[in-house]
Structure formats: C-alpha cells, structure tokens
Amino acid sequence: MIKDNELLLEELAGVSAEEELKFRKSRKVIKKKRALIVLFIILGLVVVSALSVVAFIKLRPEPGYDDSAAFYFSSDILTEEGGEYKFYDTIDFNIRNYADELRISKEPIENFVITVKADGKDITPKADITMGEATMAPDVKSECAVSVSVPEKYSESIIDISVVSSPVNKELKGSFVLEPAWDSYIEDQKGNYCAELVISANKDVALELSWDGEKLIADNTNSYIKTAENGENKCIIELSSGMSITIPMFKADPSKNYANDTKVVTVEETDRDVAREDDLSDMDTAQQTEEVSE
C-alpha cells in the first residue's frame, strides 16, 4: 500500500532513491539546443562559402580576350583535322586569312611557322620552303602561296606538314605521299615487229622524247610524233594530268627485246612550250612573206 503523500521509489542499480529524485532537464529542451547548434554551424559554413566565392571573384586573374570567333586561318589543302594527299615534285598549298567571301579574319596574322616531318622525324631544316608574305592584315582578304620540296631520299616517306599561326595559335596540317609527276616504259618482247612506248602523267607536263633511230622508227602517223622536225629522232609531247598515251615504235631488228632498255628511248621533262614555238615559227614565216612581198 502507498499513501497519497508518498512517492514510489525504485532502487536502481548503483543509484540511490535520493539521487533519482534530483531534477532532470526535459528532452524537448535538449533537442532544441542541439537543433540551434546545428543551425549555427550550417549558417557559419554558408557565410564562409559566400565569403570565399566573393574573394575568388575579386582576386582571380582576368581571362584573356577570346578572339577565336573573329580569327580565320585556313588553307586550300591543309585542315585542322588533317588529311592524306598525293604530291608530285613539290607540295604546294595556300594559307588564307578567310573562310569564304564573307568570313574574313578580324584579327591580324603576324606570322606562321611551318614544320616538315618525314615518317615522324623533323626534317624542316633539310626541306626547301618557299613562300610569299606571311603577314596578313585584318579585314583584308589575303593568302600566301607556299611550296615545300624534300630531299630525294625521303621520296618514299610519308611527309607531314604542320602550319601554326601567331599571335592566335591555330594549327593546320596534312600528310603527303610522293608520286611521280610522269612515268614511261616500253612494252616489248622478242619477235615483235613493233615496241610500244607508254607515257602517263599525273600533272600537266611537257616531255622531250628522243629515240635511237638505228634501232627504232617512230610511227609518223601518231599525233604525238608530229612535232619531230627535219627527220630528227626527237619531239616534244605535252600531256595533261591523268593522261596516258601509247606510241608505236617499229623495230629494225624484231629479234631484239627493248622492254627493259633505258637507252634506246629517252623521256625527259622540259620547260619548252610547243605552242609558243609554233607561234614563233608562224611569226617568222609571216615576216619572210612580208619581206618577199616588199
């Protein structure tokens, strides 16, 4: 039995009834204090973060002016991605400061640097590079012609060309494989009365053809032999890029085989202009006729 004015006391392990009667704080008060502490911590972190962002914005270095949208650096062959091309004798391309008629660079091109590599090895000092004016003014449509030739020992290598502009850095590149500008060979075998000379061209070219008149007789009905004059055993042949021709050459001795003979027929590139020579010949004839009439 418990009287009304008495309290029920429980003996707890290690705690006397008198200690149990001491005042205890409410759990709600404790939770509120904890929540306030967490809130203050969060607010402090927010303030510190905000101050850090403000300091970064004020103290960070000013970014450089991005003028790439107004800068054009292009080529008729080279590209930013690069490509594979064939070349004959020399690698010729143009460097431009425009993309088309309307898009012309608003920034100047002060210079550009050309790097030449053969199978990955830098051979720029060994290459022969000729070019026009590299400096290009802004808002003026301009281009610079570039010609690159490499030593003959690199003729079977893959030639990589890189062009980098300044002061705005932009790279154009391309890979090139050398092919002969023209080629010639003789098709023949023993017993044939006629050997056939085959000539092909990968570019517009003028060739001087000569042959051993004691061993071969050129077919005078062939249109490419018509330039032979005064019975000479030579003539000029002009071919356009992509052309291939065959010229019959009658053999004095059918038992001979001239398929691999490089002396019986000679083909060499020349700068002579057949049309110009014909014009000069016509002019001389006209002058002689005029003198006779006088």
Side-chain angles (χ1 to χ4, degrees):
M1 296 298 293
I2 300 174
K3 295 181 180 181
D4 294 337
N5 59 348
E6 291 182 346
L7 296 175
L8 176 62
L9 302 178
E10 295 182 356
E11 291 291 336
L12 301 176
V15 181
S16 64
E18 184 177 346
E19 291 176 343
E20 187 68 18
L21 290 175
K22 291 182 178 179
F23 175 74
R24 293 184 179 180
K25 294 182 180 180
S26 172
R27 291 183 178 181
K28 291 184 179 181
V29 175
I30 295 174
K31 288 182 178 180
K32 286 182 180 180
K33 286 187 176 181
R34 289 178 180 176
L36 288 173
I37 293 172
V38 172
L39 179 61
F40 286 139
I41 293 174
I42 294 174
L43 289 175
L45 292 175
V46 171
V47 171
V48 171
S49 300
L51 293 175
S52 299
V53 171
V54 172
F56 174 77
I57 293 175
K58 289 185 176 182
L59 298 178
R60 69 176 178 177
E62 291 294 329
Y65 172 63
D66 183 10
D67 55 3
S68 58
F71 183 76
Y72 294 103
F73 185 67
S74 62
S75 170
D76 57 337
I77 295 179
L78 306 181
T79 63
E80 293 184 56
E81 297 77 17
E84 296 183 357
Y85 311 94
K86 297 177 182 178
F87 75 99
Y88 318 103
D89 297 333
T90 60
I91 301 174
D92 300 317
F93 56 89
N94 291 326
I95 295 297
R96 301 166 174 168
N97 70 338
Y98 61 89
D100 50 43
E101 295 294 333
L102 299 177
R103 293 179 293 172
I104 303 173
S105 181
K106 296 186 180 300
E107 298 295 327
I109 297 176
E110 296 180 359
N111 194 14
F112 53 83
V113 178
I114 301 174
T115 303
V116 183
K117 294 183 179 181
D119 293 332
K121 181 181 178 181
D122 192 342
I123 61 166
T124 305
K126 301 178 182 179
D128 184 11
I129 303 175
T130 58
M131 54 187 291
E133 180 59 47
T135 303
M136 302 182 192
D139 297 316
V140 178
K141 187 177 177 182
S142 308
E143 67 180 16
C144 174
V146 179
S147 180
V148 179
S149 59
V150 298
E152 187 176 351
K153 65 178 181 179
Y154 300 110
S155 60
E156 296 183 359
S157 302
I158 297 177
I159 306 300
D160 295 313
I161 302 289
S162 170
V163 183
V164 179
S165 63
S166 64
V168 179
N169 287 343
K170 187 174 182 180
E171 181 183 20
L172 302 175
K173 55 189 177 181
S175 298
F176 298 83
V177 178
L178 174 65
E179 287 198 355
W182 56 272
D183 190 22
S184 66
Y185 60 92
I186 298 176
E187 290 185 345
D188 188 27
Q189 59 184 5
K190 291 183 178 180
N192 286 358
Y193 288 92
C194 179
E196 292 185 334
L197 172 64
V198 180
I199 305 176
S200 59
N202 290 316
K203 71 171 187 178
D204 295 350
V205 65
L207 304 172
E208 183 176 78
L209 166 64
S210 60
W211 60 93
D212 188 339
E214 295 182 358
K215 298 178 180 180
L216 296 175
I217 302 172
D219 181 7
N220 291 329
T221 62
N222 187 281
S223 59
Y224 292 100
I225 303 299
K226 67 181 180 181
T227 57
E229 298 177 355
N230 302 323
E232 293 182 346
N233 298 325
K234 63 180 180 179
C235 63
I236 301 297
I237 296 176
E238 290 185 323
L239 298 179
S240 299
S241 176
M243 286 185 62
S244 179
I245 64 171
T246 300
I247 300 176
M249 309 288 285
F250 298 104
K251 299 192 298 184
D253 186 355
S255 65
K256 299 292 184 179
N257 181 8
Y258 298 118
N260 297 317
D261 194 331
T262 57
K263 295 181 179 180
V264 69
V265 172
T266 303
V267 182
E268 297 177 338
E269 189 170 350
T270 178
D271 294 331
R272 292 174 60 184
D273 190 338
V274 177
R276 180 172 175 77
E277 291 180 355
D278 291 343
D279 293 341
L280 293 175
S281 178
D282 293 341
M283 290 176 62
D284 292 340
T285 302
Q287 289 177 355
Q288 292 175 4
T289 303
E290 185 177 353
E291 290 175 358
V292 171
S293 63
E294 290 177 353

